[in-house]
Amino acid sequence: MRIFLESERLVLRPFTEGDAHLLFALDNAPGVMRFINGGRPTTHEAIRAETLPRFLRDYPCFGTPSFGTRGYWAAQERATGVFVGWFEFRPLDAGSPAVVELGYRLNEVSWGKGYATEGSRALIRKGFTDLGVERVTANTMAVNARSRRVMENAGLTFVRSFTGQWPEAIEGSEHGEVEYELTRAEWEGRRQAAPPAATALGAEAAASNSTPAAGRDTRRPR
């Protein structure tokens, strides 16, 4: 298994075509898909024709080895190897790593363990220190309180509310969307201002209180 990134409890690796069954199960959990498509089921064909090609795409602008240029990463527990879901850390401009979108989709048995915050923090750290990222952005439905809490625990701050254009309305979409962001300058400033012990304790507390949900790319299929 090729590993892209490790955190205290998670391993992030590139997706393969053999992961189709994992994505199918994830996208057919009504609770997981509540703020994405209203909980409607997804077909095997949609996973093969739409989801996997997007997840297998490389982004050379990151300037890392071939398996390290993806925009989406499968997440597994370090201790067990069990698949818990995926994270998005994708350049909005395929030719530049400056601005990336953060997203996450975890299975329900992994909720409440702080995995979404932990994985997001690890990706943000790698983006700012190794990948040339200058700004991380994330979006979700305004009513998706769990996803918003993960964004805040990962260090992002509220930017704006807006109304997205979606082909089908789902419950709660009438309240619109919200955008959060974190810049490299802000991230570095906080690290310099906080003592190492305080930073570690803050990360632990945030992780223990978060519940995973979805960012913009996980809000509706593209």
Side-chain angles (χ1 to χ4, degrees), residues 26 49 62-63 76 81 90 98 135 150 153-154 157 190 192 196 204:
L26 183 65
F62 274 150
Q76 301 177 184
R90 177 180 57 86
R135 181 167 69 94
V150 170
N153 287 340
T157 56
R190 293 173 190 171
Q192 294 171 359
E204 181 179 352

Side-chain angles (χ1 to χ4, degrees), residues 71-208:
Y72 297 86
W73 305 97
Q76 301 177 184
E77 290 182 338
R78 286 186 65 174
T80 66
V82 171
F83 176 78
V84 301
W86 55 257
F87 287 87
E88 173 195 14
F89 203 68
R90 177 180 57 86
L92 293 184
D93 179 347
S96 170
V99 182
V100 300
E101 182 170 73
L102 172 70
Y104 31 82
R105 186 179 302 176
L106 274 60
N107 56 45
E108 289 181 273
V109 298
S110 300
W111 293 5
K113 299 180 180 180
Y115 286 162
T117 297
E118 182 176 324
S120 296
R121 283 177 174 264
L123 281 167
I124 289 169
R125 184 182 305 109
K126 187 170 184 64
F128 287 147
T129 59
D130 297 338
L131 303 179
V133 174
E134 294 295 332
R135 181 167 69 94
V136 176
T137 182
N139 302 286
T140 190
M141 291 177 65
V143 296
N144 193 345
R146 290 175 173 174
S147 185
R148 296 180 68 167
R149 185 164 65 249
V150 170
M151 294 173 189
E152 292 164 357
N153 287 340
L156 282 71
T157 56
F158 175 78
V159 176
R160 66 182 178 119
S161 298
F162 65 98
T163 301
Q165 300 298 320
W166 306 106
E168 298 180 16
I170 63 174
E171 183 180 354
S173 61
E174 68 274 13
H175 299 289
E177 313 282 324
V178 289
E179 179 183 0
Y180 284 71
E181 74 169 13
L182 175 63
T183 67
R184 180 177 180 178
E186 291 169 339
W187 181 80
E188 291 178 339
R190 293 173 190 171
R191 285 172 61 85
Q192 294 171 359
T199 302
L201 289 173
E204 181 179 352
S208 65

Side-chain angles (χ1 to χ4, degrees), residues 23-78:
L23 293 169
F24 179 78
L26 183 65
D27 284 6
N28 277 280
V32 172
M33 304 298 283
R34 159 68 180 86
F35 294 104
I36 303 164
N37 63 8
R40 291 189 296 273
T42 302
T43 65
H44 283 288
E45 177 58 28
I47 295 296
R48 290 191 298 267
E50 300 173 15
T51 305
L52 265 179
R54 188 169 74 247
F55 282 19
L56 298 178
R57 179 181 176 182
D58 285 327
Y59 292 87
C61 66
F62 274 150
T64 54
S66 60
F67 69 88
T69 61
R70 300 284 175 80
Y72 297 86
W73 305 97
Q76 301 177 184
E77 290 182 338
R78 286 186 65 174

Side-chain angles (χ1 to χ4, degrees), residues 1-12:
M1 179 179 70
R2 296 182 297 180
I3 296 175
F4 171 67
L5 182 62
E6 290 183 283
S7 64
E8 181 180 355
R9 297 175 297 165
L10 298 176
V11 171
L12 272 59

